[in-house]
Structures are given as C-alpha cells and as structure tokens.
Amino acid sequence: MLGLKLENLKISVITKDEEFGVSIPFENGLNIIRAENSSGKSTVINSIAYALGLDATLGPSSHSPFPNSVKYAISKNKKNKNEIGLNVIDSFIDLTLYNSANIKIQLRRYINGNNKKITVTDENGESIDYFLGSAGNIGSAKNDRGFHYWLERFIGWKMPAIPKFDGSEGHLYLECIFPLFFIEQKRGWSEIQANTPSSFQLKDIKKTAIEFCLGVTDFQKRNEVEKYKKIIAGLKIDWEKVKSSLQTLAELHNLKIEFNYDIDSNEWLDFSTLYYLSDGNQTPIGQFVTSLKRRIKDLNYSLQGWSFSAELDELINSRRITTRKLILVSERSDSLHQSMIRIDKKLKLIESDTIKYKQLRRLISVGAENGIILETENCPICNTNLKESFTAANEHNHPLTIDQNITYLEEQRKFYLGLKNKTKEELINIENEKAAISTEVHNIENKIKLYKNEEKEYLSTFGEELKSIAELNITKNEYEKIILQKEKLNKLAESISREYRNTYNSLEIAKKDLREKVSSYILNSLKEKLIGNLSDFSYQNNNINWLKISEQTYRPELDGFDIVADTSASDYIRIIWSYTLALLELGIEINEVKHGGFVVFDEPRQHETSHNSFEALLNKSAEKFKLDGQVIIATSIPSKEILPFKEKGANVIIFEDGEYMLNPIHQ
C-alpha cells in the first residue's frame, strides 16, 4: 500500500523589494529535476522532507537543512559574484499531496519564523496548526495536536511500540521509516538506511523499520519475545548474585563450596554443598554439625550433672515476681499512711470549730453582747473562703443557726472517725501482708544463695568440661545459622532456575510464533525484485543469483555476509537503487507492504556510476511506475541526456546552467 502521492512543492522567499520562489509539480512515475550544482537543487529536494516534518531523514545535524539564501539573503544573479543579496524577511514551503484515500491537503512550514509548527489546510480551505518536536512526554507523535500523530493517521499507518535500549518501550517514529525512501546527497548514499536517526534510543531500529514496511512481523509477538529476553537477562543476573552470595558465605567462615550448576542445568538436587575443612580433609557441613551434637551429648552424659539448674531458674523468676508484689504492697501502705494523716488533720479542725461554736452559744446564753462576731470569712466545715465560694446573700437566704452548725460538725466528726477506723484496719492488714511478702523474699534470697554456692562448687569441679560444652554449642549454633543461610540461598537458586526454565520455554514458543508470522512470500518477492533490478543496473557480481534476504536484518547478503562487505563503491550505489525501488514495487503490488508512496534520489549517479547504469535506472523508473508510485530524481547531468525521457512519459523539469532555481516572481 502506498501512503502518499506528491502533487506540488512550492518554496517562497520574501524580501522587502520582491518575492522569490519556485514551484515544482510532481506526477506518477519518473520525476526528474535537473539543475547544475549550487543552484538550489538540494534545497528543493530537502524541502520535501522538511515540509513533512522529517528533518531527521536529512542527517543527524540539528541545524536547518537550508542555505543562507532562503534564511538571510538571496541573490538574483548567479553569475554576478559581487552581488549583494536581498535581506530575507520571510520564507516558507508549501507541499500539496494526497493520501491513499485520495484526500488532498496542503502543508505549510516556515523556514524563517516559527518552524516548530506545520499548518494543514484541507480542500475546503480550513486550516489547523500542529506542533513539531517534543517537551517531556508530549511528543508530536503522541499527542493529537502533534504533526506526526496527524501524519501517521493521514497515511493510514499504525506505528507499533518497540523496545528501547533501557528496557522500556518506545514509539516507532516516521523519521525511522522514511530513510528507506528518501536518499539525500550528503550522507544518504553511504549505505542502505544511512540517515536512520539513533537519537530515539530504539533497539534494532533499521531492522524494525524494514520489518514494518514489509509487514513481515507481528510487533505484538516481537515485543513479547523482547519481554521474555529481558526477564531471562534479569534472571541470569540474579543467578550470578546467588552464586556470589554462596561463595562469600563460604569464604567468611573458611568453608569450601561446590556449586556446579548453571541456570539452565537439568539437575534438581541440592544446589550447593558447603564443606568444613580440617587437616586437609573436607566434611559436608551437615555431617560436621551432626558430629558436634554427638560430642555435646557424650560430654553431658559423662558429667555428674548438676541437677538444680531448673530449680535455680525457677527461684530467680519467683524472686522477680515476689519482689514486684512487695513493691505494689509497699506503695499501697504508703498511700494509706498519707490518708491517715489527712483524716487526723481534718478531725482536729472539726474539734476546734466545734469548741468555738459551743463557746459562742454559752456567751449568748448568758446575755453577752460585746465582742461577739457572728460573721466569718471561711466556712467552718471545709475552710473555703465564703466570698469566693458563694454569691452575695439576699433576703431569701438564711444562714445556719449556732446549734445547727454544732450538730453538723458533730456529724462530720463521727463520719471521719469511722473512716479513720476503717483505714487503720486496712493499714494493719496491708502491713501484715507486707511483712509476709518480705519474709518470702528473704527466704527466696537465702535459697538462691544456697543454690549459687552449690553451683560455684560444681563449676570449680567440672569447669573445663562445661566450657568445652559451651564452646561446642556456640560453634554448633553458628554453623546451624550458616546452614539456614545456605538453604535459603539454595531455595532462591531453585526458584530462579525454575522461573528461567518456564520463561525460556515461553520465549521459544513466542519465537516460533514470530517466525511463523514472517511472510516468506514477501521476502522471496523482495529477493526476486532486488536481483532483477541489480541485473538491469549492470551489477558486476557473478553470484547475483545466490543473493538472499537476511532473516536477521532483512537486507541483502551473499554467503552469509552483508552484500556491502565485498562490493565496490559504484556497485553499492546500484544496490541502494535496486533495494529502494524494490520496496516501492512491493508497496504497489502487495497490500501488506507499507510504503511512503514516493522515492527521492538526490544525485543518484554517485562514485562515477556508469552512464548505462544510470540510464537503466531512469528507464526502469519511467516504465515501472507510470501508473502508480513516484520516483523523484535530482541530478546535474547535462540537459541533453535528460530530455529524451520526457518522450517516455517522465515529468522533466530543467533549470539551465547559470540560473538559480529560486527566481523573482513577477506579479
């Protein structure tokens, strides 16, 4: 399927005094643009890629692909070397084209001014601006207002996600595809796909671009293959980490390790074995620990064991519990003593107030009037300041009488005396409990002292044997921990190996499915057309019929090597012609093959390619693509060699020597 058809290219350069420009029409089949060198030929050719936002197909430079004549100052007369050019105010490119659905649009992109946008105008004159370039995750191929996003859909291509070098997935950009169709003069002839950009960090980008065009790959399955490859690569790293950890474990403890399995080993035994080394002999660490346990058991059996260890431990624990109880009881005792002090203080205050009120009652009963004060600032019961505690008295409030106060105070005295007796009784009980617990603690301490004295005598008698047992236990515990670490690493190794095996099987199935998706018919067709073109273009290698299309690169190879390895410079140019035109032929004939619809050759007669070969290129292009497809060739060969092709149906545009292609436009 052919994606695009070019109709017209127009370059406009505006100065203060006048406008310069050139308009190049395109037709099906062969289009030849003839002009001498340094006349603007490459400017015209580069404008096609530039108008499509495909600057990357013109080479790796980030600079504008245009000369100063369209950016700063333009000259009228090529022959006048001393002419001062006119200052360029503005310059832009208009490219008119169709897609496969025969929808016509015009693209405009500025050379001067804002060149990061492209304006798309439809047949109704409605225009929309789209941006180029990217800012972070907002790229022109990923956003619906991005030009490449629009162009992909206008062409009718769905670009796949493909692996990047960092393991993530990236977008297959149009700039990676069009170097197969667009061969510019400076770098384009160095090899097939010479100007494929590498800045996108996409893996196998040249192969992927050809796969996409030929339609021979299910990219979803290919990404699945890459996913499994990435998992396997990670598992291999994890496997080496486990091996390194086991080696480190052995070295830290002066052990020897045997780990004789690779990640794809078929063995499902214990993955690693550690050996204890002694006197030149090696013993598996498990057997070594078993021997330690046996020695500890024998030593314990031979000793006259001290049988009170459990009793001593129990007494020490009992002392801890009983001491805690004693602390709690003592705290309760202290609290009751404080309560008794507060009760006694309250009773004294009540007794004092009662005496005062009784004295006052006696004075009143004998008729005394002088020196009697009935007002008081504090309450006789709770001693609270009355002015702070009560509101102002009024006529409805009546204070207690003296007799009522005395009665109340006596009731209070009875209450606190009862509370004191109850507290005293509780205090006696607590003190008794405290004494009992103190006695219990003392008895426990005496027993502990007795046991410890016995233990000391036992240790003095059997100290060396006990020390040996303790050291053996420490060693045993240490090596048991090592065994646990080793077993943990073994389980991890087994898990990694099992996951590797499952992933590897999945990878093989995915690779098989992917191989089955490769169309041998398309590859054979590419091979046949390539051989036919090479023969037509007088390719010199006698083994041409042995040429193959590599399943690894989808490029031509002989005897297992890329064809360029044993090819002269001029023959390699023929290979580029042949391969590029073969892709265009397949795009016309096979619907699964995706092609841009046009081929651009800027100065294809490189390295003194013979006149006959070049003529064959022109003839084939004129005849083969008369009905569909476009071959655009820019050349500086003499006009007389070009004109005959006009009679063969080619669209021939000639600019004579001594003139610029960009000329003043007269209104």
Side-chain angles (χ1 to χ4, degrees):
M1 181 186 74
L2 303 186
L4 299 172
K5 176 184 175 182
L6 306 184
E7 181 183 72
N8 192 80
L9 173 72
K10 181 181 178 182
I11 303 175
S12 300
V13 179
I14 313 299
T15 71
K16 180 180 178 182
D17 299 319
E18 54 188 317
E19 180 178 344
F20 293 75
V22 64
S23 182
I24 307 291
F26 298 107
E27 300 176 4
N28 278 345
L30 177 61
N31 296 265
I32 303 175
I33 303 171
R34 188 277 165 192
E36 70 174 342
N37 292 329
S38 303
S39 298
K41 181 167 50 4
S42 291
T43 297
V44 170
I45 291 300
N46 291 346
S47 294
I48 298 173
Y50 186 79
L52 289 167
L54 303 174
D55 315 31
T57 63
L58 303 176
S61 175
S62 60
H63 300 296
S64 170
F66 297 108
N68 292 336
S69 59
V70 295
K71 296 190 296 182
Y72 306 115
I74 188 168
S75 300
K76 291 184 178 181
N77 191 338
K78 185 176 182 182
K79 295 179 180 180
N80 186 358
K81 302 298 183 182
N82 297 321
E83 178 188 8
I84 299 175
L86 298 175
N87 291 334
V88 174
I89 297 174
D90 212 350
S91 55
F92 54 88
I93 297 165
D94 292 317
L95 179 64
T96 307
L97 66 161
Y98 295 84
N99 65 3
S100 58
N102 207 34
I103 297 173
K104 180 180 178 180
I105 55 94
Q106 177 184 286
L107 307 177
R108 172 169 288 189
R109 184 180 179 188
Y110 281 84
I111 299 172
N112 276 3
N114 186 0
N115 61 7
K116 292 301 181 183
K117 73 169 184 176
I118 294 180
T119 302
V120 178
T121 304
D122 63 20
E123 291 180 286
N124 298 321
E126 295 184 5
S127 299
I128 300 178
D129 289 334
Y130 294 91
F131 71 86
L132 288 170
S134 62
N137 292 326
I138 303 175
S140 65
K142 301 176 182 178
N143 188 280
D144 59 3
R145 289 307 302 270
F147 177 72
H148 290 130
Y149 183 94
W150 172 88
L151 184 58
E152 288 176 16
R153 284 147 186 80
F154 182 72
I155 296 174
W157 292 350
K158 183 177 180 181
M159 310 304 287
I162 61 174
K164 299 179 72 173
F165 286 114
D166 62 4
S168 63
E169 285 191 347
H171 190 79
L172 179 57
Y173 297 96
L174 291 174
E175 295 101 313
C176 303
I177 303 298
F178 272 81
L180 285 165
F181 321 138
F182 198 104
I183 317 297
E184 57 87 34
Q185 181 182 1
K186 291 183 179 179
R187 305 174 189 84
W189 298 104
S190 59
E191 65 161 328
I192 298 172
Q193 302 171 278
N195 282 330
T196 301
S198 59
S199 57
F200 300 121
Q201 298 298 303
L202 301 171
K203 290 181 66 177
D204 300 323
I205 184 57
K206 291 185 178 182
K207 173 188 176 184
T208 302
I210 301 174
E211 285 178 308
F212 175 78
C213 291
L214 294 177
V216 296
T217 295
D218 183 330
F219 282 94
Q220 184 174 355
K221 290 192 176 297
R222 178 180 160 181
N223 290 344
E224 189 176 345
V225 168
E226 292 297 326
K227 179 189 73 174
Y228 289 135
K229 286 181 178 179
K230 182 180 177 182
I231 293 173
I232 285 175
L235 291 172
K236 287 182 177 179
I237 292 173
D238 293 341
W239 182 264
E240 293 304 317
K241 287 181 179 178
V242 170
K243 291 178 71 173
S244 177
S245 296
L246 285 166
Q247 189 64 43
T248 301
L249 179 65
E251 291 174 355
L252 285 174
H253 299 91
N254 296 317
L255 302 171
K256 179 185 175 182
I257 187 169
E258 285 187 0
F259 192 95
N260 299 323
Y261 306 101
D262 293 324
I263 192 170
D264 55 355
S265 171
N266 292 322
E267 300 291 337
W268 289 97
L269 303 173
D270 192 26
F271 273 80
S272 67
T273 303
L274 287 171
Y275 293 96
Y276 178 81
L277 303 176
S278 176
D279 299 329
N281 298 318
Q282 61 182 38
T283 306
I285 190 171
Q287 294 182 20
F288 175 67
V289 170
T290 300
S291 67
L292 288 176
K293 290 179 179 178
R294 189 181 301 112
R295 289 171 61 191
I296 292 169
K297 182 179 179 180
D298 292 344
L299 282 172
N300 281 325
Y301 183 79
S302 64
L303 287 175
Q304 296 178 9
W306 188 60
S307 59
F308 299 105
S309 296
E311 286 84 347
L312 178 58
D313 290 339
E314 185 177 345
L315 282 171
I316 292 173
N317 185 54
S318 178
R319 179 179 63 182
R320 179 181 60 79
I321 295 171
T322 308
T323 302
R324 179 59 183 163
K325 287 170 59 179
L326 180 61
I327 291 171
L328 293 175
V329 170
S330 297
E331 289 175 351
R332 178 60 181 158
S333 174
D334 291 343
S335 176
L336 290 173
H337 278 294
Q338 291 298 320
S339 296
M340 288 291 291
I341 292 172
R342 287 193 295 272
I343 291 170
D344 286 339
K345 183 178 179 181
K346 189 65 180 177
L347 285 171
K348 287 181 181 180
L349 180 62
I350 291 172
E351 183 68 25
S352 173
D353 286 343
T354 302
I355 292 172
K356 288 179 182 179
Y357 275 104
K358 285 182 177 181
Q359 289 175 347
L360 183 61
R361 185 175 63 181
R362 178 62 182 163
L363 287 171
I364 292 174
S365 68
V366 297
E369 296 180 357
N370 298 319
I372 297 175
I373 302 174
L374 295 177
E375 294 182 358
T376 179
E377 292 184 355
N378 295 328
C379 173
I381 299 167
C382 64
N383 204 36
T384 303
N385 188 291
L386 294 177
K387 292 181 180 180
E388 295 178 356
S389 303
F390 299 100
T391 58
N394 56 53
E395 59 183 338
H396 301 291
N397 295 330
H398 301 286
L400 294 176
T401 64
I402 291 175
D403 288 338
Q404 288 174 329
N405 276 312
I406 291 172
T407 300
Y408 181 80
L409 289 169
E410 287 177 346
E411 291 295 326
Q412 284 288 300
R413 181 174 177 275
K414 291 178 182 179
F415 171 77
Y416 280 104
L417 284 173
L419 184 61
K420 180 178 180 180
N421 291 333
K422 184 177 179 181
T423 303
K424 184 185 292 184
E425 182 180 348
E426 185 178 356
L427 185 59
I428 291 171
N429 292 334
I430 286 293
E431 289 297 331
N432 290 336
E433 183 180 358
K434 180 179 177 181
I437 294 173
S438 297
T439 300
E440 185 179 356
V441 170
H442 180 72
N443 291 336
I444 290 173
E445 289 283 0
N446 287 336
K447 289 180 180 180
I448 288 173
K449 185 176 181 181
L450 178 63
Y451 277 121
K452 285 194 172 183
N453 287 334
E454 290 184 8
E455 182 182 35
K456 186 176 180 181
E457 291 179 7
Y458 176 80
L459 291 175
S460 64
T461 304
F462 302 103
E464 290 301 321
E465 290 85 347
L466 291 171
K467 181 180 178 182
S468 296
I469 293 173
E471 290 174 348
L472 288 171
N473 273 310
I474 291 172
T475 302
K476 175 184 72 70
N477 292 337
E478 178 183 355
Y479 282 100
E480 284 178 339
K481 290 178 181 178
I482 294 171
I483 291 173
L484 287 175
Q485 288 178 275
K486 184 219 43 161
E487 289 176 349
K488 182 179 178 181
L489 289 170
N490 279 346
K491 288 180 180 179
L492 180 57
E494 183 176 348
S495 173
I496 292 170
S497 180
R498 186 179 294 109
E499 185 178 356
Y500 170 85
R501 187 175 302 280
N502 293 335
T503 306
Y504 181 83
N505 291 337
S506 298
L507 173 62
E508 290 302 305
I509 293 171
K511 286 165 69 174
K512 180 181 178 183
D513 291 344
L514 184 60
R515 285 193 297 269
E516 291 175 351
K517 289 293 181 180
V518 175
S519 171
S520 58
Y521 169 72
I522 292 177
L523 294 183
N524 287 333
S525 297
L526 175 60
K527 171 187 170 182
E528 290 172 5
K529 293 187 181 301
L530 179 59
I531 292 174
N533 289 342
L534 288 171
S535 179
D536 291 341
F537 301 152
S538 304
Y539 181 71
Q540 298 300 314
N541 196 308
N542 294 326
N543 295 326
I544 188 172
N545 291 319
W546 293 95
L547 181 145
K548 294 182 179 180
I549 299 298
S550 168
E551 293 187 5
Q552 282 69 47
T553 65
Y554 299 105
R555 290 156 63 107
E557 67 177 20
L558 277 173
D559 301 325
F561 295 96
D562 193 289
I563 197 171
V564 73
D566 189 27
T567 304
S568 66
S570 60
D571 269 348
Y572 193 55
I573 298 303
R574 294 183 180 90
I575 294 170
I576 296 177
W577 296 350
S578 302
Y579 193 84
T580 306
L581 291 183
L583 291 177
L584 180 56
E585 292 178 69
L586 291 179
I588 295 170
E589 298 173 10
I590 302 175
N591 191 55
E592 289 83 2
V593 176
K594 294 175 281 293
H595 195 282
F598 61 90
V599 167
V600 174
F601 289 149
D602 189 3
E603 289 290 6
R605 194 177 176 186
Q606 298 281 320
H607 300 289
E608 299 301 323
T609 308
S610 72
H611 173 79
N612 290 338
S613 296
F614 183 64
E615 186 175 358
L617 170 65
L618 298 180
N619 279 321
K620 189 174 187 75
S621 299
E623 295 168 6
K624 187 68 180 178
F625 308 107
K626 185 176 296 184
L627 299 179
D628 209 354
Q630 295 172 301
V631 178
I632 301 168
I633 292 178
T635 182
S636 58
I637 65 174
S639 301
K640 63 181 181 179
E641 297 182 23
I642 297 296
L643 287 173
F645 291 94
K646 197 166 188 178
E647 299 176 2
K648 297 179 181 181
N651 175 34
V652 178
I653 303 169
I654 294 178
F655 294 85
E656 297 297 344
D657 293 351
E659 65 174 320
Y660 287 120
M661 295 180 70
L662 291 171
N663 290 302
I665 298 174
H666 301 290
Q667 303 294 334

